[in-house]
Amino acid sequence: MTHTSRIRTRPAARQTSFTDKPMKILRGALLAGALLLPTTSCKDFLDVNTNPNAPQTVTANLYLPPMLHWLAMSPQWDGRFVGLYTQQWWHVGTGIPATTWGRMGYDPGSDNGAQQWRDVYWSWGQNLVDMINKAEAEKRWDVAGVGYLLKGYGWLVLTDLHGEIIVKEAIDQSRFAFDYDTQEYAYGEVLRLFDVAIADLQKTGDAVDQAYLAKGDKMYNGDRTKWLKLAYGMKALALNHFSNKSTYKPADVIAAVDQSFASNADDALLQFPSLQPNDDRNFYGPTRGNMPSYRQAAFAVQLMNGTQTNGTVDPRMSRMMAASPDGQYRGLDVNVLGFGALSTAQQPMNFWGYVTTPPVGSPTRYIFDDKTRWPIVTYAELQFVKAEAAFRAGDKATALAAYKNGIAAHMDFVNARNQDNGQTATQISAAEKAAFLADPNIVPTSAGALTLSQIMVQKYIALWAWGHNELWMDMRRFHYTDLDPATGKQIYPGFSIPTTLYAANAGKPVYRIRPRYNSEYVWNIPALTTIGGMAEDYHTKQTWIINP
Amino acid sequence: MVLMGILAVSSQALAQLKTVTGKVTSEVGAPMAGAQVIVKGTRFGALTNNDGNYSVRAEPGQVLQFRFIGNAPEERTVGAEDVINVQLKRVATGLDAVVVSALGETNVKRALGTAQQSIQGVDIAQTNRENFINALSGRVAGVEVVSSSGTPGSSTSITIRGISSISSSNQPLMIIDGLPLDNKTLNTGVLASDAPNSSIAFSNRFLDFTNRASDLNPEDIESLVVLKGPEASALYGIDAANGAIVITTKRGKPGTGGFEYSNSFRLDKTGAHPSLQRQYGPTTPGTSIGSFSYFGAPYAAGTTFYDNVDGFFRTALTQKHNLSFSGAAPDNRINYRISVSADKQEGVIPNSNYGRINLTGASQAVVNSWLKADLSMTYSYSNNDQVFKGDGGPLLGLLLWPQTDNAKDWLTPAGTRRRVTLLGQGSEVDNPYFNVAKNVINAKTNRIMTNIGFTIAPWQWGNLKTNIGVDGYTNQNLIMRHPESYYGYSLGGALDIADNITRNISTQTLLNINSRQIWKGLSLSGLVGNSVSDARDLTDAVKGQNFLDPNFISINNTDLATRYARSTLSQRRLVSVFGSATFDYNKYLYVTLTGRNDWTSTIPQERNSFFYPSINTSFIFTDAFPSLTRFLTSGKLRAGYAEVGKDARPYAYRPSLESKTTSYGGYGYGFTGPNLGLKPEFKISRELGTELSFLDDRLGVDFTVYHSETKDQIVNDIRGSYATGYILFNLNGAVTRNKGYELTLRGTPWMKNGVTWDVVANYNQSSGRTIALPNSLPESYISDTWLYGNVRNGTMPGLSTMSLTGFFYLKNNKGDLLINPTNGLPLKSSTFIDRGYDRQPKYTVGVTNSFRYKKASLNFLLDFRRGGDVFNATDHLLTVRGLAERTADREVPRVIPGVLRDGLENTANPTRNNIVVIPAQQTAYYTGMSEELFIEKNINWVRLKDITFRYQLPPTWLFARDASVFVTGTDLWIKTNYTGMDPIVNGNTAAVGGSGGTGIDYGNFPVPKGLSFGLKVGF
């Protein structure tokens, strides 16, 4: 009853709002009555609607941990399906997703393939706006720079996946219909935001404070200079996507790569701490159990087992992929359901290296551990970007050097990942690494012999199982089966579009994922209709970036 | 308190008083105990004792009113005499019957311009239901009662006049002795397992909690009044927008104090279960079968089958004991009642139990000539063990378990869960015996309700009544998913502890102004009042996983790293002032105006004050035109118009950040976005009714037609484009419309030779429709109801508020099924669509018959329902698994009638489907069946809800002054076209808002048949 002592009388000025007379009289009578009675209303007494369970605002750095978490994890969700499109792996079930995504289709009425849609708009969305606004108000340029970088990268992955997206009207709670922007506009915004991020991350002084940023940043522990390198790296990725356009400037790509990561030590890696039973563990790890039915696809295995390399077996294969119980490395045929004709002993084990899901805490392999340090952008990846840009610019020597750097760095990366949490795979020895890098089937002896196909294949291997967004972007830039003009062979040797495509595709391969069902197909249909998104084959429509 | 100030000015000289005594008798001359004798214009008086005698102090010239519920009041002026004897006339249907009206005042029926219906506590108690709400079904026109399942302690929802709110609660306000009674059903949303984004949330699907009104002991209820429309409840404010149930508890009756003891013993049994095919064995047979799918080879001849279902249930014994002691001081200045009761209920499912202890004390005292005090306190303790329901629950385990295996054999020799399939431990549904023995759902509740009231009447013109009460309870919940179980395996076992601490403080003050003549034949009475309530609801929850010892139940037994704690506090304050004025013209035309202004904490401050009026009128046309009494005994017309506002749930308009459980914690916004423009919603109702009585009150008719519209309705958790930056919003803008008819017939068909036969029939027809949704959004649904396949309680503009949407079959423009040309099976939509499914019944009827002959009485309630769809998800599951009997003809080739979707489907000549399907070879015939085929249309039933035979023993028996024995049957008989077990079902719990999971039957246990007997003695 302590609150009664705080009760005040309502101010008379506010007792006005009724127009008709009887009500006025009645209300007057009521108020007169109220004065006689023990209590009257008051502002203070009713002021209990501030949610006591959670704050309405926090310091800028506290918005960051969930956003970084989803930066790492969100592509994993969608990657299950992109991995089927790009034949990184196959699903051994006989229904969804093998018969939908596995055939370059989609699940109607499902949010599958649109986790990044959720996280860019919601997990980042208003949180990112608030973080940037607070950081700018407090002159925390490092935090603001990280914010702008995430904002730009969010639009980049989203437009790469979905094509047309909502940018201009996004994060506005006053509207309920949102028009789509073109991919050209989205890319313009991405590059603008990356430049803002770079400008902010270059600043020192004011309230720039490594310790403050480190409280929310467990990726670089608040190190502004590493974030700056990441910003250049992300910019390089975006600029390189213009490769089929007349506006493509390989020199800008190379310049951006050169200002980005200098070695694997700069890699953007976020470790899953695995303190919670579920939420902070690797989505591909055994505890979360999302991958028990996925197995490596034949195409991916054949890039490493010598099939496409004149017999040279990649030492990374046995450290990244899973053997069958008979000790052989096989990939599944995407044109048959399940394991096909493989006997039990021939069926590849799961990515954790077991026949069935291992108990919690069992040692696993490569990036499939609960506590893996999960890559977002890596030095190796950027070196392949540089190699491609230099190759296209005609600077084959630079291309070859970057290509070699990329392979070597990724071999180190594989070793490092297999040590994140005591994985079972052995380390690639220095001798194995040297032999592989000296093998003319992999690294040509002269720069002139380097092919675009080799660059893209090695990049594919370096991105296998994690770099889904970039990997799929690459394959779409080459329309999956484009030929290398220099050799007349496929850029991606051995890749073939599934013989049976999803019925709605009408024979066309997939080029985009439809916008999130429960966001757009239910609540934003008019705008979606304008861009043709209601068509059953919308996912086969080529995106703007991949064509001249 | 300000009260004291008022007391100070009340020193009015009072004239000399004298004591008047007398006896009140019934129309047959029997003494009437408990009749009210009131000095008119005051609230003072007395009650008659067991011999019908009373004694009051009054001054000459004052008028004594004699009232007894169900009888016409009588008035006598105090003169020179000291003894006044009165005989009251029973008028069960008459306009002069005394009833409890809004705000707990008693009034004669003729003055009421609104629809209300009352039930005597004894009628509720005699049904022997632990949860008194279950006794209301069929007894009041317009009331729908849905129990979530037949498990002891399961929640029951009650709605009056249909579903008008799409996402908020549609349940009425409960008022006990003038102050609100919390009737919450715990929402699983406050559990640590249900933290936002959790992948192991219960979502109000797999378990149930008791609705808290069942903490009340039915034996403590004196009477209960259902105020149906917002007209009647305009005075109770925004929480009564869905009607109000006003409960009056028992008080001591004067005379010599006495003990009363009653008991009952009940046996419950259930037999109902779906029948399963015994022709085809598991898809992958062997010692360990592949899964619980039965599309394999036929069973070999001579295969041994076990009837796993029958042996599982037990015959459950329930006992109740009530002991009360009540009485009043000889001068009637103090009365008292103390009662103790203990219930111990067993469920028919092993390990489901409900126990309750109630201690109640109530006392009233006349302090002096102008002050009267009333105090009541109730303590209740309940202890409830439930079992899981729905997905993975024991019923599904029972049905899916191989019939060739003895399910009773549920432990391995090592004492762990015995399994029979090759499925993973977390994929094989639990053996039902294991499920109920090893998983635990327990709730313990300690509750204290106090209510202190003062009535001050120093003036002739009126009185002031003030009440303050605290309703507080601690509800401790423990939910364990055993480490070896289907639910718990992948978690290493999971334990949820959630302590809910609810504390509601309410005060209400009324200044009653007695009727006074203001013009010839025209008098005015009224009241002004104020109420303040402060509701606070805190849940402290913790979850732990990875049990160290698999069988030790404690949070301390979980892996430290997995423990997660969460606190949820919800607070809401409400301040109201209100008034009512009644004009009475010659006692045959009454017009009542009310107005109320509320200030709520849950609406943005600039709009948190809102006013709403009501007007109703009652016209006794048989008194106005006495010549009409040739045709009928009495007749009344009433009409009402009312508005009532309604606020939002706490914290609805401003988004808040959540501490995240993703890597490295931090904060991020929850799903729900801001809506700073949130405003209260308004319900506008119109009601027209008539009450007629014929044949000297032996036949009565009460007919009401109503129409209500809720505007600016707040829809909680409605989705929008994620481009807003959020996923859900709480928005104004829905419009729903409800209309219906209610008809109550009361009659005494027979009253001769000592035999009396009374009938009460309640007919109810109501329909609710969604007219609009906020921002032209196409559909609104409660995600908790999306509990099986792709069917949910979605509603769209133009549909019923109880519709179901789903992935239903596609059809061409002529209505033919579209068939997939590649496999001959029908195509389903990939979005949620409407196919006209509606869970709302066309009408319901409840008929109570009472027979009395000398010392024997027989009373029974028949409940009828016509129409309304029920989704039999259990049957769908059994079909998908090849267990339903309909799958036995799987070898028979068939062609599904329809047209191929080959591009010609909407032309003049579509291609008829001619693809032959043999389900045994193409199991997708069953496994891909739309849930649509299992939404059973137009479900009707007749059920014998309860029947009681009571016999009054001779007074000398056991030296008791009053003794009787009884036999009561509950839910003994049902006839329905529903193919499942019980169409009264809720796939969720009463905690879910909107139309909830009513009529979604998935793995739910039906209400068992019960037979109880007992005795009642008074000394």
Side-chain angles (χ1 to χ4, degrees), chain A residues 127-332:
Chain A
N127 297 294
L128 201 43
V129 171
D130 286 9
M131 184 181 85
I132 292 173
N133 289 343
K134 284 188 161 231
E136 286 185 332
E138 294 170 9
K139 298 193 191 309
R140 298 185 183 277
W141 307 119
D142 48 352
V143 178
V146 169
Y148 283 114
L149 183 62
L150 292 180
K151 185 130 189 154
Y153 190 68
W155 296 141
L156 176 65
V157 297
L158 218 54
T159 189
D160 283 348
L161 283 178
H162 302 289
E164 280 76 8
I165 55 168
I166 301 152
V167 180
K168 285 188 207 123
E169 295 179 349
I171 322 301
D172 179 352
Q173 292 95 40
S174 68
R175 51 169 70 237
F176 285 89
F178 295 86
D179 287 340
Y180 283 78
D181 295 303
T182 61
Q183 191 169 46
E184 186 174 10
Y185 176 81
Y187 260 93
E189 183 67 3
V190 166
L191 294 171
R192 184 188 75 79
L193 289 163
F194 283 168
D195 287 340
V196 175
I198 287 168
D200 274 349
L201 288 166
Q202 281 169 335
K203 289 184 198 168
T204 53
D206 288 336
V208 172
D209 178 353
Q210 177 162 2
Y212 180 87
L213 178 56
K215 200 172 169 194
D217 164 26
K218 300 299 174 199
M219 192 159 84
Y220 286 140
N221 281 312
D223 186 342
R224 173 189 64 81
T225 62
K226 291 211 168 162
W227 277 103
L228 181 60
K229 288 180 182 178
L230 177 61
Y232 280 115
M234 287 177 167
K235 186 178 177 183
L237 293 175
L239 290 174
N240 196 44
H241 293 170
F242 285 83
S243 65
N244 290 339
K245 299 222 172 271
S246 59
T247 53
Y248 180 59
K249 294 198 186 75
D252 290 359
V253 178
I254 295 167
V257 172
D258 287 346
Q259 284 173 290
S260 74
F261 300 163
S263 73
N264 281 9
D266 291 334
D267 281 359
L269 301 171
L270 187 73
Q271 182 154 29
F272 293 112
S274 301
L275 297 171
Q276 295 293 331
N278 189 68
D279 297 356
D280 66 347
R281 290 170 190 243
N282 187 355
F283 189 73
Y284 291 167
T287 300
R288 297 211 45 174
N290 291 306
M291 306 298 283
S293 302
Y294 287 86
R295 299 290 186 278
Q296 61 228 12
F299 166 68
V301 173
Q302 285 165 11
L303 296 179
M304 300 177 85
N305 70 0
T307 308
Q308 307 296 351
T309 47
N310 209 12
T312 301
V313 176
D314 194 323
R316 288 172 293 179
M317 179 174 73
S318 58
R319 278 80 171 189
M320 293 165 64
M321 294 185 171
S324 304
D326 67 2
Q328 300 298 304
Y329 286 83
R330 292 186 189 80
L332 295 183

Side-chain angles (χ1 to χ4, degrees), chain B residues 113-114 231 615-619 637-641 686-689:
Chain B
T114 60
E231 298 89 359
I615 178 166
N616 66 65
T617 176
S618 165
F619 177 47
L637 281 174
R638 47 170 213 263
Y641 167 90
R686 293 173 184 83
E687 174 181 305
L688 203 59

Side-chain angles (χ1 to χ4, degrees), chain A residues 431-501:
Chain A
E432 281 179 289
K433 182 179 169 186
F436 188 66
L437 288 171
D439 192 318
N441 289 324
I442 304 300
V443 182
T445 45
S446 75
L450 181 69
T451 65
L452 192 53
S453 173
Q454 283 176 314
I455 297 170
M456 298 319 295
V457 164
Q458 287 302 321
K459 187 179 178 190
Y460 182 103
I461 293 167
L463 297 178
W464 181 80
W466 67 267
H468 304 289
N469 292 336
E470 177 69 5
L471 192 158
W472 189 30
M473 200 60 235
D474 287 347
M475 295 193 85
R476 285 179 289 168
R477 283 193 289 127
F478 294 100
H479 307 91
Y480 300 104
T481 54
D482 280 359
L483 304 181
D484 186 337
T487 62
K489 291 178 184 161
Q490 271 188 205
I491 289 283
Y492 290 101
F495 186 88
S496 58
I497 307 278
T499 49
T500 307
L501 286 173

Side-chain angles (χ1 to χ4, degrees), chain B residues 585-662:
Chain B
Y585 183 68
N586 283 335
K587 300 241 179 283
Y588 61 72
L589 179 64
Y590 297 83
V591 176
T592 301
L593 292 161
T594 72
R596 185 177 180 108
N597 203 97
D598 287 326
W599 290 265
T600 172
S601 67
T602 69
I603 296 283
Q605 205 228 319
E606 52 285 14
R607 285 175 298 274
N608 77 351
S609 162
F610 46 101
F611 175 83
Y612 44 94
S614 86
I615 178 166
N616 66 65
T617 176
S618 165
F619 177 47
I620 317 300
F621 59 86
T622 44
D623 285 4
F625 308 103
S627 57
L628 290 171
T629 48
R630 272 183 300 168
F631 309 106
L632 67 175
T633 315
S634 69
K636 164 177 154 182
L637 281 174
R638 47 170 213 263
Y641 167 90
E643 294 178 13
V644 58
K646 206 170 163 186
D647 62 353
R649 61 184 179 188
Y651 324 125
Y653 60 83
R654 218 179 291 144
S656 59
L657 296 161
E658 289 168 348
S659 71
K660 300 287 184 182
T661 53
T662 47

